[in-house]
């Protein structure tokens, strides 16, 4: 295992070095939170794929393949579909807004007063998303070092908090690009073919497993529909995803770079399901499907390769964890704390303090939120339940007012607030009634949010024409408050 340990240690040290290097580039709020809004297509595609394909997509995706066969790909597949939809239909308009958070977009569209409440819901989502990724360190470090769960979470979480706090989005972008390469090599180019060969090839897999393992719809139509509702729509509105869209250097980069990343997700989904299916042939009686990834890596891969594939699993977890962490801190600082203090103008600019103070303040929030994430992860055990809570709140509370603001000009601020409150409370109440993992909370929560949005919007005065005019100007890329020097750069990074 010495060679495997060396690979992992070198990888972790490289992540910290990237954080230190990124710190030197983060000179302004725009640099720190959205990488100066100047990523080119190559780097944008890699980092976008890295943020959406986390531990749940890698370890969980293989586990679903172990449990259901090829149809286990649907969870990650719907994530890819959501990213494709976001990139093709919405990303260019989102990038042109030149904002930092989803709540800022709601304030622009509805004329203010929607930000704090929506910010609280988005903060809860990003916090739980970061927690689920941080919990996953325990599984990986247990395979590597037979390490205590709490210690594993502290070590893995501390590394992510360290490089995220140092350089913000620049550090996270650099580390995500490395993580994208490591995941591609480790999972797609090494683990996938080795797993299939060890299982005897597809013909042997078909001979040893029930036919439903090779049914594309074997996981069930209702489950697939729920995945679409939660993950496909969740990709359209999550702060962690939007914050990556804000890093794009141009509309074209946001659209086509995201399309490439979404296509990559579809391939990754199938790969995870195939690996899980192969694991079922090799280890038909594992106590838990979620151990399939770690078991096949530990028992079937040669020395050195095993270390690289486990580094790929770490990369998957770290990319999602760091993206969710900076999103959580950005929302907490810009949408909740600053607005409650009255420190932000209507256009989103800070009244007092220069760029250094803005970077320092956001860095402090990442550190505080990071500590909160680590402590919460230690206290919780069930990753699936935490992730379900996060996405139920996001989709049930924010999907309607966000998409409504982009697609329906008659939507009003009162309708948006009613939608957030009614949808959020309905989701929480229904989870308490039916259970966290039930489908009803997101179904009825989303429906109640839509009804509240339409009825209240039609019953209240239309949005001020001046607000809508300013909104259209921003959607067209004109009148943006954030005109940084980085945005004027003629050449995008990673082009």
């Amino acid at each position: 295992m010495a060679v495997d340990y060396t690979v992992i240690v070198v990888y972790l040290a490289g992540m910290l070095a990237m954080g230190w290097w990124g710190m030197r580039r983060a000179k302004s709020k725009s640099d720190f939170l959205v990488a100066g809004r100047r990523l080119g297509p190559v780097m944008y595609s890699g980092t976008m794929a890295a943020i959406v394909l986390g531990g749940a997509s890698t370890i969980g995706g293989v586990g679903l393949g172990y449990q259901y066969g090829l149809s286990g790909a649907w969870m990650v597949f719907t994530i890819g579909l959501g990213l494709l939809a976001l990139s093709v239909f919405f990303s260019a308009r989102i990038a042109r807004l030149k904002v930092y958070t989803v709540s800022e977009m709601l304030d622009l569209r509805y004329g203010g007063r929607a930000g704090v409440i929506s910010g609280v819901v988005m903060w809860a989502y990003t916090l739980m998303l970061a927690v689920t990724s941080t919990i996953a360190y325990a599984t990986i470090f247990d395979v590597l070092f037979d390490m205590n769960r709490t210690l594993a979470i502290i070590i893995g979480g501390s590394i992510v908090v360290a490089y995220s706090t140092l350089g913000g989005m620049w550090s996270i972008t650099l580390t995500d690009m490395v993580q994208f390469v490591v995941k591609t090599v480790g999972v797609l180019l090494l683990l996938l073919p080795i797993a299939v060969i060890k299982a005897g090839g597809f013909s042997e897999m078909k001979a040893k497993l029930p036919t439903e393992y090779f049914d594309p719809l074997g996981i069930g139509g209702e489950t697939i529909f729920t995945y679409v509702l939660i993950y496909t729509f969740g990709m359209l509105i999550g702060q962690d995803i939007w914050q990556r869209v804000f890093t794009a250097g141009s509309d074209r980069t946001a659209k086509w770079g995201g399309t490439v990343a979404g296509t990559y997700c579809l391939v990754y989904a199938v790969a995870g399901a195939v690996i899980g299916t192969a694991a079922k042939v090799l280890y038909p009686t594992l106590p838990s499907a979620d151990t399939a990834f770690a078991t096949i890596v530990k028992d079937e891969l040669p020395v050195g390769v095993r270390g690289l594939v486990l580094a790929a699993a770490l990369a998957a977890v770290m990319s999602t964890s760091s993206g969710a962490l900076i999103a959580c801190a950005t929302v907490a600082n810009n949408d909740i704390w600053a607005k409650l203090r009255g420190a932000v103008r209507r256009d989103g600019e800070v009244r007092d303090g220069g760029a250094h103070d803005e970077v320092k303040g956001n860095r402090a929030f990442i550190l505080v939120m990071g500590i909160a994430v680590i402590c919460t992860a230690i206290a919780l055990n069930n990753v699936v339940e935490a992730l379900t809570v996060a996405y139920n709140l996001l989709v049930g509370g924010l999907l309607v007012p966000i998409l409504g603001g982009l697609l329906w000009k008659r939507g009003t601020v009162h309708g948006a607030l009613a939608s957030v409150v009614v949808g959020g409370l309905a989701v929480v109440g229904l989870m308490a009634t039916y259970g966290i993992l039930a489908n009803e909370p997101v179904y009825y929560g989303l429906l109640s949010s839509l009804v509240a949005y339409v009825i209240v919007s039609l019953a209240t005065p239309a949005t001020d024409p001046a607000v809508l005019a300013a909104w259209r100007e921003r959607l067209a890329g004109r009148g943006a408050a954030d005109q940084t020097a980085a945005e004027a750069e003629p050449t995008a990074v990673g082009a």
Side-chain angles (χ1 to χ4, degrees):
M1 291 290 289
V3 175
D4 296 325
Y5 292 160
T6 301
V7 172
I8 297 297
V9 170
V10 169
Y11 168 76
L12 294 176
M15 295 300 98
L16 291 174
M18 291 287 186
W20 182 262
W21 189 81
M23 181 177 67
R24 301 175 63 185
R25 302 201 62 161
K27 303 298 184 183
S28 68
K29 180 179 179 181
S30 179
D31 286 335
F32 193 82
L33 295 182
V34 290
R37 306 190 196 274
R38 59 192 185 100
L39 295 190
V42 174
M43 188 169 285
Y44 179 86
S45 297
T47 57
M48 182 61 88
I51 179 65
V52 300
L53 295 174
S57 299
T58 303
I59 299 171
V62 171
L64 287 172
Y66 182 88
Q67 189 173 359
Y68 298 104
L70 298 185
S71 66
W74 273 105
M75 184 187 78
V76 183
F77 203 84
T78 55
I79 290 174
L81 292 178
L83 186 52
L84 285 171
L86 174 71
S87 301
V88 172
F89 298 112
F90 299 109
S91 62
R93 284 188 285 174
I94 292 170
R96 286 196 294 266
L97 290 174
K98 294 292 187 292
V99 295
Y100 293 103
T101 68
V102 174
S103 295
E104 284 185 49
M105 166 262 168
L106 292 174
D107 275 350
L108 280 172
R109 165 59 182 84
Y110 294 111
R113 294 180 293 169
V116 174
I117 294 177
S118 61
V120 171
V121 176
M122 188 64 76
W123 173 81
Y125 157 72
T126 53
L127 178 71
M128 296 305 292
L129 186 62
V131 166
T132 59
S133 300
T134 304
I135 291 173
Y137 295 125
T139 301
I140 300 169
F141 278 89
D142 178 58
V143 175
L144 284 170
F145 309 113
D146 192 24
M147 185 180 292
N148 173 269
R149 176 183 182 276
T150 299
L151 183 59
I153 289 173
I154 291 174
I155 292 176
S158 296
I159 292 172
V160 170
V161 172
Y163 72 70
S164 301
T165 302
L166 285 172
M169 187 59 82
W170 267 123
S171 294
I172 292 171
T173 297
L174 294 170
T175 54
D176 276 359
M177 197 62 199
V178 174
Q179 289 159 355
F180 169 74
V181 173
V182 171
K183 279 192 289 191
T184 301
V185 174
V187 176
L188 297 184
L189 302 184
L190 292 176
L191 181 57
L192 175 61
I194 290 173
V196 173
I197 292 171
K198 291 282 187 177
F202 283 104
S203 59
E204 187 69 15
M205 290 163 63
K206 286 185 176 180
K208 290 186 175 181
L209 294 174
T211 55
E212 56 263 28
Y213 264 72
F214 301 91
D215 181 358
L217 304 177
I219 199 170
E222 184 178 356
T223 299
I224 295 171
F225 178 74
T226 302
Y227 284 159
V228 170
L229 201 60
I230 293 177
Y231 297 114
T232 301
F233 285 112
M235 286 295 106
L236 298 179
I237 58 174
Q239 170 67 25
D240 52 322
I241 310 302
W242 277 40
Q243 199 154 343
R244 294 310 174 95
V245 175
F246 299 152
T247 67
S250 67
D251 295 355
R252 184 177 179 83
T253 294
K255 182 175 181 178
W256 295 111
T259 301
V260 170
T263 305
Y264 178 89
C265 291
L266 303 183
V267 175
Y268 200 88
V270 176
V274 171
I275 293 168
T277 305
K280 184 67 176 180
V281 173
L282 295 168
Y283 313 100
T285 58
L286 288 177
S288 170
D290 286 339
T291 63
F293 178 89
T295 302
I296 196 170
V297 169
K298 188 175 183 179
D299 293 348
E300 302 297 336
L301 299 186
V303 173
V305 173
R306 178 171 49 206
L308 182 59
V309 173
L310 287 172
L314 270 177
V317 175
M318 285 184 165
S319 58
T320 300
S321 181
S322 58
L325 176 59
I326 193 171
C328 178
T330 302
V331 170
N333 188 13
N334 290 267
D335 293 336
I336 301 174
W337 177 248
K339 289 185 178 180
L340 290 177
R341 291 182 59 199
V344 175
R345 297 183 194 270
R346 286 285 293 275
D347 62 8
E349 290 300 295
V350 178
R351 289 176 177 171
D352 300 308
H356 176 73
D357 293 329
E358 293 178 355
V359 172
K360 185 177 179 181
N362 282 289
R363 185 173 283 139
F365 265 86
I366 290 181
L367 179 60
V368 171
M369 291 297 107
I371 294 172
V373 165
I374 292 173
C375 292
T376 307
I378 292 172
L380 294 179
N381 284 312
N382 196 311
V383 177
V384 175
E385 287 191 358
L387 192 64
T388 302
V389 170
Y391 274 97
N392 280 354
L393 283 172
L394 178 69
V395 174
L398 291 178
L399 177 67
V400 170
I402 291 172
L403 293 188
L406 289 170
L407 301 173
W408 190 41
K409 66 179 182 180
R410 185 60 181 82
T412 68
V413 65
H414 302 289
L417 289 172
S419 179
V420 173
V421 173
V422 171
L425 291 177
V427 164
V428 172
L430 290 167
M431 283 193 294
T433 303
Y434 289 98
I436 291 175
L437 298 180
N439 293 328
E440 287 83 359
V442 71
Y443 291 168
Y444 298 129
L446 185 58
L447 179 61
S448 63
S449 178
L450 176 61
V451 171
Y453 181 72
V454 173
I455 291 177
V456 176
S457 291
L458 292 176
T460 53
T463 304
D464 187 338
V467 171
L468 289 177
W471 165 252
R472 287 191 291 269
E473 285 288 299
R474 291 292 284 267
L475 279 179
R478 300 185 295 269
D482 179 24
Q483 297 294 334
T484 63
E487 291 173 313
E489 291 284 343
T491 304
V493 176

